[in-house]
């Protein structure tokens, strides 16, 4: 397995291009199942999760071609051969469950493996099931698979979700586009990736309004046609790299960044003493003056502080002046990066869903282990600011969500290299 060697070597300066959003692309790709006409995505990120979704769609009989070094994904599902998403693919990536709504809507049936737990939590699918049942689906759990049927087609309904689940919102909205009648989804998730999905579905002929708010209304149509759609900028990659100049000093411009994607995150950085300014080409980030100050963080559904940036923010708080309390309210086990940061000299105490971080003058490089996607990059950020060398192992986690990390950070002066494993 490969590892990444990082050596703390002072301020970072320059530009980092931000790719298309992994979590938008992973819901846009299954949308191809809703139509027999081609769907083409541009500005797609080059990530292993995208390859996994590609393999899943191909296993259903869809044609998926990766063009222009992976930045364009051309898909067509005019003659699917299966409506079963197998465990061996779904267990690798929870987002595979996003084929459930589209398959049910187009074919009236779907068999999708339950994803099983993952490092950060149990990640059940009860909210997906409740929403699709509200649209008339009959769903039963057998041998670890969800067997879903809608023999007479789906019917529009008014449904309020118990929690603003991103994935459940995406599955229900995609299914409702082909349901008979009107669906009103309440307490819907508001993430930019959902807005991006709706914009793509609208290009395919769907009739949807309210995206980005807590109530989304969908008028079902008989069929959807093909479209070409540009994947929205990845706000989590954006936020991750915004932390590089914050933790190391210097000034970095994130190309393609937009303040609207990271409003609450930027506000937290500002409170911590890090300036974020919109430029012609993106966002420019630099410390305002001297050491970063500790701030408290509570993760919430969008537009609140993103859970996917909690691990990275913790790395910054490890070297801030003062004590920061980070509360993780979305996932039940998302502090696995904490013990690894402690190995680097951080002062962190975890009690249940709360981590208390008391900043230290400097972290010390050490061998550490990536435990999940966002934890892996939080350790790299810590290594950039630490004295000496840090080796991050199990970087296959990283490859799921960050393209060309070494090249992007080298580009702003970081001392970082990827060490080929056996
Ligand atoms: C999406 O996951 C993202 N993944 C996650 O990003 C992100 O952390 C999460 O939303 C929250 O923002 C993709 O978009 C592919 P949820 P999702 O349904 O849809 C519970 C990353 O690092 N829940 O909003 O699975 C669930 O257990 C990944 O890129 C139920 O209880 O998130 C969790 O505690 C990690 N029942 C909470 O809700 C359900 O039916 C949020 O889950 C569904 C979810």
């Amino acid at each position: 397995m490969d590892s990444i060697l990082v050596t703390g070597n002072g301020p970072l300066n320059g530009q980092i291009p931000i790719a298309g959003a992994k979590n938008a692309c992973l819901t846009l790709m299954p949308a191809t199942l809703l139509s027999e006409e081609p769907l083409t995505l541009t500005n797609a990120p080059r990530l292993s999760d995208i390859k996994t979704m590609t393999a899943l769609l191909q296993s259903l009989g869809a044609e998926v071609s990766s063009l222009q070094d992976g930045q364009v994904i051309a898909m067509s599902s005019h003659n699917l051969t299966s409506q079963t998403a197998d465990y061996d693919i779904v267990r690798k990536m929870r987002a595979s469950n996003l084929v459930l709504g589209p398959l049910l809507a187009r074919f009236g049936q779907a068999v999708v493996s339950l994803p099983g737990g993952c490092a950060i939590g149990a990640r059940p699918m009860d909210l997906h099931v409740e929403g699709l049942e509200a649209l008339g689906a009959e769903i039963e759990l057998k041998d670890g698979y969800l067997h879903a049927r809608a023999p007479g087609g789906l019917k529009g309904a008014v449904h309020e979700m118990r929690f603003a689940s991103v994935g459940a919102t995406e599955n229900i909205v995609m299914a409702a586009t082909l349901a008979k009648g009107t669906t009103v989804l309440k307490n819907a998730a508001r993430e930019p990736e959902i807005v991006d999905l709706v914009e793509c579905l609208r290009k395919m002929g769907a009739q949807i309004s309210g995206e980005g708010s807590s109530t989304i209304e969908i008028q079902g149509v008989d069929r959807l046609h093909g479209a070409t759609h540009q994947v929205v900028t990845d706000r989590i990659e954006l936020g991750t790299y915004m932390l590089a100049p914050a933790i190391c000093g210097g000034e970095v411009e994130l190309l393609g960044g937009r303040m609207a994607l990271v409003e609450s995150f930027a506000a937290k950085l500002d409170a911590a003493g890090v300036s974020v300014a919109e430029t012609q080409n993106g966002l420019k980030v630099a410390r305002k003056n001297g050491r970063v100050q500790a701030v408290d963080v509570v993760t919430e559904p969008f537009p609140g502080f993103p859970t996917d940036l909690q691990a990275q923010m913790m790395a910054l708080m490890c070297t801030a002046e003062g004590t920061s309390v980070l509360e993780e309210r979305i996932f039940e086990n998302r502090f696995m990066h904490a013990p690894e940061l402690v190995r680097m000299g951080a002062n962190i105490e975890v009690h249940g869903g709360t981590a208390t971080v008391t900043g230290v003058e400097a972290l010390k490089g050490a061998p550490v282990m990536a435990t999940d996607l966002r934890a892996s990059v939080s350790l790299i950020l810590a290594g950039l600011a630490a004295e000496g060398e840090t080796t991050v192992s199990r970087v296959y986690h990283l490859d799921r969500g960050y393209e060309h990390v070494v090249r992007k950070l080298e580009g702003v002066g970081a001392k970082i290299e990827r060490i080929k494993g056996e």
Side-chain angles (χ1 to χ4, degrees), residues 27-107:
T27 189
L28 289 164
M29 290 176 76
T32 189
L33 300 169
L34 289 166
S35 168
E36 56 190 37
E37 296 181 20
L39 175 61
T40 300
L41 301 176
T42 62
N43 192 38
R46 282 69 60 91
L47 303 167
S48 59
D49 271 8
I50 304 305
K51 292 193 172 80
T52 303
M53 182 59 81
T54 297
L56 172 60
L57 293 175
Q58 289 172 337
S59 77
L60 302 174
E63 290 163 32
V64 185
S65 309
S66 170
L67 313 168
Q68 291 179 33
D69 184 28
Q71 284 207 297
V72 172
I73 302 175
M75 299 173 285
S76 170
S77 59
H78 63 284
N79 66 349
L80 288 195
T81 53
S82 161
Q83 280 89 42
T84 297
D86 279 338
Y87 175 61
D88 62 340
I89 293 186
V90 177
R91 70 182 169 77
K92 272 190 281 192
M93 185 182 67
R94 173 184 171 79
S96 308
N97 64 18
L98 294 172
V99 302
L100 176 59
L103 287 173
L104 200 47
R106 175 129 171 256
F107 301 99

Side-chain angles (χ1 to χ4, degrees), residues 45 52 105 243 250 284 316 376:
T52 303
L243 286 166
K284 193 168 271 188
L316 178 65
S376 56

